């Protein structure tokens, strides 16, 4: 306030003197202006006279306000007694008077709030940052409350205007006879008003008083400058049909998810442009990777890097793209389950259960050891070790697509072991997500409550095991009584029309997904089990469904791998390339050695040769570490630097995965299988 007052006074003083005063005289003018502003350059009588005149003006305004309020009260009583006005007209006029009364009272309150705020500022210590922060917070809360009141007043004015329009229409309808078309349109108008009132959700009014809701200032950004005038005209005529973007003080960006008027269709053009751009750029990137002998998925990751925040930064709807990409994971795991029959799962279930558990325990043990040596918190060490122990299921699934499998009697092929262990890791992922809130609390708990936290973790593990038992019991019931009649019905209804078959299979995938989600188990496991249940109906069924679902899976997988590229930051990798390469190689070698050690203990002697290829493929880090890392960073378990290290190590390990796969195939797989695997 002082700076503003000084600038305004300096403007008044300097404007008439600007052309006459020399540069040397400006300093004297400024000093005189500062003295006048501080009251030191004015006579005492003049200062007293200024105070008296200001108080007299303020008192006069308050008396005038009271007079106007009395007149408004009399006017409201007169309107209510006027028999010549209709109910709508009375409601409109009374509403208008009440809004004006609120405006006068709020203006008076604002004056005295400003005075109290000045008193608090003068009583405070300018060296006390905490006190200044509290004063700033109080002013911010006051501004938020004022903004909410102003918004409510504006809504009330809109309602009053609507009542006025309705009153005028009623008067016009009373003065003239309506035609048949006018009567029909009038009935349609009333029905439309009732429809809007029924479907409108008062989300703002219902949630503003909910506990935990905060009022924040946001910026509303139109789609582009060229369309700003067009959008403004739309707001005047059609109550803002455009899609604007909101940005809060933390630089989070929001888009419209549900409009107030649900009768008008809307589309998120940013999201459409993002998907189109990803689809167009994925073609040359995938083509390039195919040319140089890399899997196409890395071309899609490169596409995400080029379009993401570290590249052109042209993707606006990052969250929406990632959400759509999750469906690529769902359909990929469904096709994996479709190729992985229950009979094969039954053959390797012990290895699938024991292997990932032993590897995770060993990784956590090594992580705690290194964390103790490097003085890292135990919760952070456990989290990092668990993240690094997971391997990428979609990546391995793409590697195994079309590869040969050993189906000899008594033999265990590497693909069955790999998929079984990856499915178990997906279960561990769901378990770890469920335990993460307890891990967060354990990070801030005292040593006296550690026993309680351990007990709580054990209870959570018991709940997850119970959920897994319920899931597999449900699968047994579906396989025995439901899946056969369901597929036969779909097959009979879809003759000549593949749409019914695709919708039926998709609905079954989502049903299993929802079952596992409701039982607090990984959704990915539900998709895998859906494929395994359908594969129990025979090879012909599997081939038919695979031909229908594969194109959908391929498109959604492109979106998924591109969304991974949105979180890859090449500049950070280049800056810390030496450290990241050392960390990545250390993680890959450690996972490989631990996997070889564990598989040597649990594999039969006749299948020991597959431990090398299984260990090599599992040496990379899962892309789900991005998800876990982001949650841990928001929760304060890990720092920003550790989060970026996890992202970079994961990315580099995924880039090494094709080389590890090919090396394992060349060294460990017999020649007839090698040709079909590569």
């Amino acid at each position: 306030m002082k700076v503003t007052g000084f600038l305004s006074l300096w403007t008044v003083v300097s404007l008439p003197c600007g052309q006459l005063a020399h540069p040397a005289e400006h300093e004297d003018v400024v000093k005189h202006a500062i003295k006048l502003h501080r009251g030191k350059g004015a006579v005492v009588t003049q200062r007293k006279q200024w105070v008296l005149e200001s108080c007299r003006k303020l008192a006069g305004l308050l008396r005038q306000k009271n007079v106007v309020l009395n007149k408004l009260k009399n006017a409201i009583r007169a309107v209510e007694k006027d028999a010549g006005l209709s109910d709508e007209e009375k409601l409109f006029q009374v509403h208008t008077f009440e809004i004006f009364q609120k405006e006068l009272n709020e203006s008076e309150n604002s004056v005295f709030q400003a005075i109290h705020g000045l008193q608090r500022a003068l009583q405070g210590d300018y060296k006390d940052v905490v006190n200044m922060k509290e004063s700033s917070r109080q002013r911010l809360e006051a501004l938020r409350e004022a903004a909410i009141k102003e918004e409510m007043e504006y809504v009330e004015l809109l309602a009053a205007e609507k009542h006025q329009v309705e009153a005028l229409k009623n008067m016009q309808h009373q003065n003239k006879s309506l035609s048949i078309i006018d009567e029909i349109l009038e009935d349609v108008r009333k029905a439309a008003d009732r429809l809007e009132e029924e479907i409108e959700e008062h989300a703002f009014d219902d949630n503003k008083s909910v506990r935990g809701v905060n009022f924040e200032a946001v910026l509303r950004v139109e789609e582009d400058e060229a369309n700003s005038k067009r959008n403004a005209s739309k707001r005047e005529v059609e109550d803002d049909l455009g899609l604007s973007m909101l940005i809060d003080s933390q630089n989070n960006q929001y888009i419209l998810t549900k409009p107030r008027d649900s009768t008008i269709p809307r589309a998120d053009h940013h999201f459409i442009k993002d998907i189109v751009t990803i689809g167009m750029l994925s073609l040359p990137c995938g083509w390039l990777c195919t040319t140089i002998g890399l899997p196409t998925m890395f071309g899609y990751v490169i596409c995400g890097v080029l379009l993401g925040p570290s590249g052109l930064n042209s993707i606006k709807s990052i969250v929406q793209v990632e959400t759509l990409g999750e469906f690529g994971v769902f359909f990929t795991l469904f096709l994996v389950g479709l190729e992985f029959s229950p009979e094969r799962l039954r053959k390797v279930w012990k290895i699938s259960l024991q292997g990932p558990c032993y590897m995770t325990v060993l990784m956590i043990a090594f992580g705690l050891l290194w964390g103790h040596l490097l003085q890292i918190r135990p919760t952070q060490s456990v989290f990092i070790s668990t993240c690094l122990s997971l391997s990428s299921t979609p990546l391995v699934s793409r590697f195994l697509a079309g590869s040969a499998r050993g189906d000899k009697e008594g033999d265990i092929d590497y693909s069955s072991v790999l998929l079984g262990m990856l499915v178990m890791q997906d279960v561990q992922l769901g378990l770890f997500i469920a335990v993460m809130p307890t891990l967060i609390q354990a990070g801030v708990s005292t040593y006296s409550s550690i026993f309680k936290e351990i007990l709580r973790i054990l209870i959570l593990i018991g709940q997850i095991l119970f959920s897994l038992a319920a899931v597999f019991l449900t699968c047994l019931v579906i396989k025995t009584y439901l899946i056969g009649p369901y597929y036969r019905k779909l097959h009979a209804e879809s003759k000549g029309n593949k749409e019914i078959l695709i919708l039926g299979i998709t609905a079954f995938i989502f049903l299993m997904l929802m079952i596992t989600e409701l039982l607090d188990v990984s959704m990915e496991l539900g998709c895998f089990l859906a494929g395994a249940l359908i594969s129990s109906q025979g090879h012909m069924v599997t081939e038919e469904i695979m031909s229908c679902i594969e194109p959908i899976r391929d498109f959604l997988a492109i979106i998924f791998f591109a969304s991974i590229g949105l979180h890859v930051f090449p500049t950070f990798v280049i800056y810390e390339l030496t450290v990241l390469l050392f960390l990545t190689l250390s993680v890959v070698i450690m996972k490989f050695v631990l996997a070889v050690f564990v598989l040597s203990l649990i594999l039969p002697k006749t299948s020991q040769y597959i431990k090398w290829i299984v260990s090599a493929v599992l040496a990379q880090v899962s892309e789900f570490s991005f998800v876990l890392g982001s949650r841990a960073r928001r929760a304060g378990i890990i720092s920003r630097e550790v989060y970026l290290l996890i992202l970079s190590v994961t990315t580099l390990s995924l880039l090494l995965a094709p080389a590890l796969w090919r090396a394992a195939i060349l060294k460990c797989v017999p020649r007839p299988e090698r040709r079909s695997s590569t």
Side-chain angles (χ1 to χ4, degrees), residues 22-296:
H22 295 287
E25 299 175 356
H26 284 303
E27 185 177 356
D28 297 332
V29 175
V30 172
K31 290 180 178 179
H32 182 63
I34 295 174
K35 288 181 179 180
L36 288 175
H37 177 66
R38 294 177 176 175
K40 295 181 179 180
V43 184
V44 177
T45 56
Q46 292 179 350
R47 280 184 283 174
K48 291 182 178 179
Q49 183 179 1
W50 180 84
V51 172
L52 291 175
E53 289 180 356
S54 299
C55 293
R56 192 180 299 113
K57 289 180 181 180
L58 181 59
L61 288 174
L62 295 178
R63 284 195 300 270
Q64 185 178 358
K65 173 244 178 185
N66 292 328
V67 172
V68 173
L69 286 178
N70 292 328
K71 289 182 178 180
L72 288 173
K73 292 178 181 177
N74 296 329
I76 290 174
R77 285 194 291 268
V79 168
E80 291 176 347
K81 295 179 181 179
D82 192 352
L85 296 176
S86 63
D87 294 337
E88 290 81 3
E89 186 64 25
K90 287 182 180 180
L91 181 62
F92 167 72
Q93 292 189 13
V94 171
H95 203 67
T96 305
F97 292 151
E98 290 176 349
I99 291 174
F100 192 52
Q101 285 178 335
K102 289 182 180 179
E103 178 68 23
L104 293 175
N105 292 326
E106 290 297 331
S107 300
E108 180 183 358
N109 292 334
S110 299
V111 173
F112 288 104
Q113 284 178 359
I115 294 175
H116 291 314
L118 180 59
Q119 289 178 346
R120 287 196 306 270
L122 292 174
Q123 293 172 359
D125 184 5
Y126 70 93
K127 295 182 179 180
D128 188 359
V129 179
V130 177
N131 184 35
M132 294 173 62
K133 177 184 175 182
E134 180 63 22
S135 300
S136 176
R137 188 191 65 80
Q138 293 178 0
R139 288 195 300 271
L140 185 59
E141 291 294 333
L143 287 174
R144 288 171 177 171
E145 292 179 1
I148 295 300
K149 291 179 180 178
E150 194 68 28
E151 186 76 21
M152 295 173 63
E153 183 176 333
Y154 178 73
V155 172
E156 290 178 353
L157 287 172
L158 290 178
E161 183 183 15
K162 183 178 180 180
H163 287 304
Q164 184 183 32
V165 172
E166 291 179 354
L168 292 175
K169 287 184 178 180
N170 291 331
M171 292 177 61
Q172 293 174 359
H173 294 158
Q174 292 175 0
N175 295 332
K176 67 177 183 178
S177 59
L178 297 177
S179 64
I180 297 177
I181 296 179
D182 292 332
E183 291 180 354
I184 294 174
L185 292 177
E186 180 64 18
D187 292 338
V188 172
R189 182 186 67 82
K190 293 180 180 179
D193 291 339
R194 287 195 299 270
L195 175 63
E196 288 185 356
E197 293 177 358
E198 291 174 358
I199 66 176
E200 183 177 1
E201 295 182 4
H202 300 281
F204 185 84
D205 296 330
D206 295 340
N207 292 300
K208 67 181 180 182
S209 58
V210 177
R211 185 178 180 182
V213 174
N214 297 320
F215 297 113
E216 292 189 6
V218 297
L219 300 177
R220 178 168 180 166
V221 182
E222 299 296 338
E223 293 179 353
D224 52 82
E225 290 185 6
N227 295 331
S228 59
K229 295 183 178 180
R230 177 172 59 85
N231 288 335
S233 63
K234 283 185 176 183
R235 284 195 298 271
E236 295 175 1
V237 179
E238 301 176 353
D239 193 22
D240 190 14
L241 299 183
L243 280 173
S244 301
M245 181 181 295
L246 300 180
I247 306 175
D248 65 6
S249 58
Q250 303 297 323
N251 293 324
N252 297 310
Q253 300 179 9
Y254 306 88
I255 62 169
L256 182 66
T257 57
K258 185 177 183 180
R260 181 184 65 85
D261 186 1
S262 301
T263 61
I264 301 175
R266 289 171 170 84
D268 186 356
H269 298 290
H270 292 301
F271 181 53
I272 294 175
K273 291 179 181 178
D274 292 341
I275 297 300
V276 170
T277 307
I278 290 174
M280 294 176 62
L281 189 59
S282 295
L283 176 61
C285 293
W287 204 342
L288 177 63
C289 287
T290 303
T291 304
I292 61 179
L294 288 175
T296 55

Side-chain angles (χ1 to χ4, degrees), residues 380-419:
Q380 191 169 352
S381 301
V382 170
F383 174 82
I384 296 173
S385 302
T386 307
C387 278
L388 298 179
S389 67
L390 301 175
S391 302
S392 175
T393 303
L395 182 67
V396 177
S397 302
R398 297 297 290 266
F399 286 159
L400 295 178
S403 64
R405 284 113 183 217
D407 294 328
K408 298 178 182 179
E409 187 68 26
D411 193 16
I412 298 178
D413 62 287
Y414 62 86
S415 61
S416 299
V417 176
L418 276 172
L419 293 177

Side-chain angles (χ1 to χ4, degrees), residues 396-677:
V396 177
S397 302
R398 297 297 290 266
F399 286 159
L400 295 178
S403 64
R405 284 113 183 217
D407 294 328
K408 298 178 182 179
E409 187 68 26
D411 193 16
I412 298 178
D413 62 287
Y414 62 86
S415 61
S416 299
V417 176
L418 276 172
L419 293 177
M421 295 180 69
L422 290 171
V423 169
M424 189 58 201
Q425 285 190 354
D426 290 336
V427 175
Q428 290 180 348
L429 175 65
L431 174 64
F432 189 62
I433 291 175
V435 174
M436 186 175 287
T438 304
L439 190 64
I440 296 171
Q441 296 176 6
V444 297
S445 299
T446 59
Y447 286 99
S448 60
S449 62
I450 288 180
F451 179 76
K452 294 181 179 179
E453 297 298 333
I454 294 175
L455 182 62
R456 186 181 304 178
I457 291 176
L458 293 176
I459 293 174
L460 280 173
I461 293 174
Q463 292 176 352
I464 293 296
L465 294 177
F466 176 79
S467 299
L468 287 174
V471 167
F472 287 111
L473 181 62
T474 304
C475 291
L476 181 61
V477 173
I478 292 175
K479 179 178 181 295
T480 306
Y481 300 104
L482 299 178
I483 190 64
Y486 178 73
Y487 178 76
R488 286 192 293 270
K489 181 66 175 176
L490 278 180
H491 187 73
E493 295 291 337
S494 63
K495 288 184 177 179
N497 184 9
K498 295 296 183 182
E499 179 181 347
I500 299 297
L501 180 62
I502 294 174
L503 288 176
I505 296 302
T506 304
F508 181 68
I509 297 171
F510 294 160
L511 173 64
M512 295 299 300
L513 182 149
M514 292 178 63
I515 290 175
T516 53
E517 175 68 11
L518 290 175
L519 293 173
D520 292 329
V521 186
S522 171
M523 292 187 292
E524 289 77 12
L525 178 62
C527 299
F528 176 85
L529 292 176
L533 289 172
I534 292 179
S535 68
S536 64
Q537 300 303 304
H539 181 71
M540 297 296 295
V541 174
T542 300
E543 293 295 330
E544 181 182 15
I545 293 177
M546 191 174 295
S547 63
C548 297
I549 300 298
E550 270 189 338
I552 302 175
R553 187 278 311 269
D554 292 339
F555 174 75
L556 294 175
I558 292 173
I559 305 299
F560 170 71
F561 287 109
S563 67
I564 292 178
L566 299 177
H567 300 283
V568 177
F569 305 98
T571 53
F572 179 78
V573 175
I574 293 174
Y575 292 153
E576 303 293 338
L577 184 60
T578 304
V579 176
L580 293 176
L581 285 177
F582 174 76
L583 291 176
T584 303
L585 292 176
S586 300
V587 169
V588 170
I589 293 173
M590 180 179 294
K591 291 190 68 175
F592 177 79
V593 172
L594 291 179
V596 170
F597 173 73
V598 170
L599 292 174
S600 299
L601 298 178
I602 61 177
L603 280 175
K605 293 183 179 180
T606 56
S607 303
Q608 283 288 324
Y609 69 95
I610 68 171
K611 65 183 178 183
W612 304 106
I613 185 170
V614 173
S615 301
V617 175
L618 294 178
Q620 35 79 21
V621 182
S622 172
E623 69 281 346
F624 285 107
S625 61
F626 297 160
V627 180
L628 294 175
S630 63
R631 293 188 181 185
R633 182 185 173 186
R634 287 195 299 266
I637 298 178
I638 60 175
S639 62
R640 178 191 61 178
E641 293 76 12
V642 174
Y643 172 69
L644 290 175
L645 287 175
I646 291 176
L647 292 186
S648 302
V649 169
T650 302
T651 303
L652 292 176
S653 70
L654 291 174
L655 291 175
L656 285 175
L660 295 174
W661 166 257
R662 292 191 175 186
I665 289 293
L666 291 174
K667 295 293 183 180
C668 307
V669 179
R671 289 186 178 276
E673 295 185 20
R674 185 187 306 172
R675 283 192 290 269
S676 58
S677 298

